[in-house]
Amino acid sequence: MTTITAPIPAGLDRARPARGTALRDIATISKRNLRRVARTPRLLVISAVPPVLFVVLFRYVFGGAIRTPGNYADYLLPTVLILTQLLGATTAVALATDLAGGMVDRFRSLPIARSATLAGRTVADLARATLVLLVGLGAGVAVGFRFHGGLWPGLAGLGLVLAFSYAMSWEMVWIALKLRDPETAQVAGFLPVVPFVFASSGFVPVASMPGWLQGFANVQPFSVTISAVRALTQGGPTAHYLWQSAAWIAGILVVFGALAIAEYRRA
């Protein structure tokens, strides 16, 4: 007797896979995305250029004009490490490219965990972000940056940079799913970064800004994260900024993670 298996109707969710299966699926998609990066060496080169460029330009163009406590390289580098993680909007562009090319539709048709497509994208981009961070750190050391707060707090500061980058990658995922066009996603991913980075404690002390801007600069996520990383790498009180940064990271991850998953299900 021949057994006929009826296809699952469109829109009917598959049974939820076991946690171990979902993790394997996420790892598989992450490896696919990393192989794609490895096969495009020019992307790695281009990703490594901005941190070096920003460190050198800001250190030697603004370094002699802006008064900050201590060495300007120590003050500057936390900002550059966060800025260069986000300016490329790699997550948004890469996912929008997969959407436009039909790759995401192919993933949706496979018997894999629904979470694997989005989580695999963000995990792969976290690996790229680690490379960018190491390049930026090397450039910073070359122009005078040092860990004055000790090795372990300094490493915790670098970890905070990566955590913030990972949370923001889910915002980029949501942008890509919403817009579905690589060029538009790149611009949309870039626009929110500029006002938040420059209206922060990143390049100049907040006290030097107009009073109406100081209130925003003191509490917005980029500013408190930069200040927390600076406190961890340079020494000094960290709790005030660290808990605020952790709250922002958790909030961004939860909100944009939920929005991205909802948009992916509607697609």
Side-chain angles (χ1 to χ4, degrees):
M1 180 182 293
T2 303
T3 301
I4 299 175
T5 303
I8 298 174
L12 185 63
D13 288 337
R14 293 184 295 271
R16 181 178 295 179
R19 181 176 298 179
T21 302
L23 291 176
R24 285 196 298 271
D25 291 341
I26 292 171
T28 300
I29 299 297
S30 299
K31 289 177 184 177
R32 175 259 177 187
N33 293 328
L34 288 173
R35 287 194 187 104
R36 184 178 178 183
V37 172
R39 291 169 183 169
T40 314
R42 61 184 177 274
L43 177 60
L44 292 175
V45 173
I46 291 173
S47 297
V49 169
V52 176
L53 193 62
F54 279 121
V55 166
V56 173
L57 286 178
F58 282 113
R59 168 68 179 87
Y60 293 108
V61 173
F62 292 159
I66 299 174
R67 295 182 180 275
T68 58
N71 182 5
Y72 189 63
D74 295 333
Y75 187 88
L76 171 70
L77 192 66
T79 309
V80 172
L81 293 180
I82 290 176
L83 177 62
T84 53
Q85 298 284 321
L86 303 173
L87 278 183
T90 305
T91 304
V93 175
L95 183 57
T97 300
D98 281 345
L99 284 162
M103 183 59 68
V104 172
D105 290 333
R106 173 59 177 159
F107 288 151
R108 290 170 67 93
S109 71
L110 296 175
I112 62 175
R114 287 294 182 95
S115 59
T117 303
L118 304 185
R121 176 76 265 165
T122 57
V123 170
D125 286 337
L126 182 62
R128 182 202 63 86
T130 303
L131 173 63
V132 173
L133 181 142
L134 293 175
V135 172
L137 180 62
V141 170
V143 300
F145 172 82
R146 298 293 184 270
F147 287 127
H148 296 291
L151 177 61
W152 294 112
L155 293 177
L158 299 182
L160 189 62
V161 172
L162 294 176
F164 186 74
S165 173
Y166 183 74
M168 290 297 296
S169 72
W170 281 95
E171 179 192 3
M172 302 299 177
V173 166
W174 176 72
I175 287 172
L177 291 167
K178 200 73 177 174
L179 300 177
R180 296 175 165 270
D181 175 71
E183 289 80 9
T184 308
Q186 183 175 28
V187 175
F190 171 79
L191 287 178
V193 173
V194 175
F196 277 94
V197 169
F198 285 93
S200 73
S201 60
F203 298 108
V204 298
V206 173
S208 67
M209 300 178 185
W212 59 268
L213 187 57
Q214 289 184 25
F216 170 76
N218 278 322
V219 299
Q220 55 109 329
F222 283 71
S223 197
V224 297
T225 301
I226 289 168
S227 296
V229 174
R230 191 175 287 142
L232 287 166
T233 58
Q234 302 307 307
T238 60
H240 175 70
Y241 292 114
L242 190 56
W243 76 262
Q244 292 183 66
S245 177
W248 272 113
I249 289 170
I252 291 169
L253 189 57
V254 169
V255 170
F256 284 102
L259 289 173
I261 291 170
E263 191 67 34
Y264 182 71
R265 287 174 175 170
R266 282 197 298 267

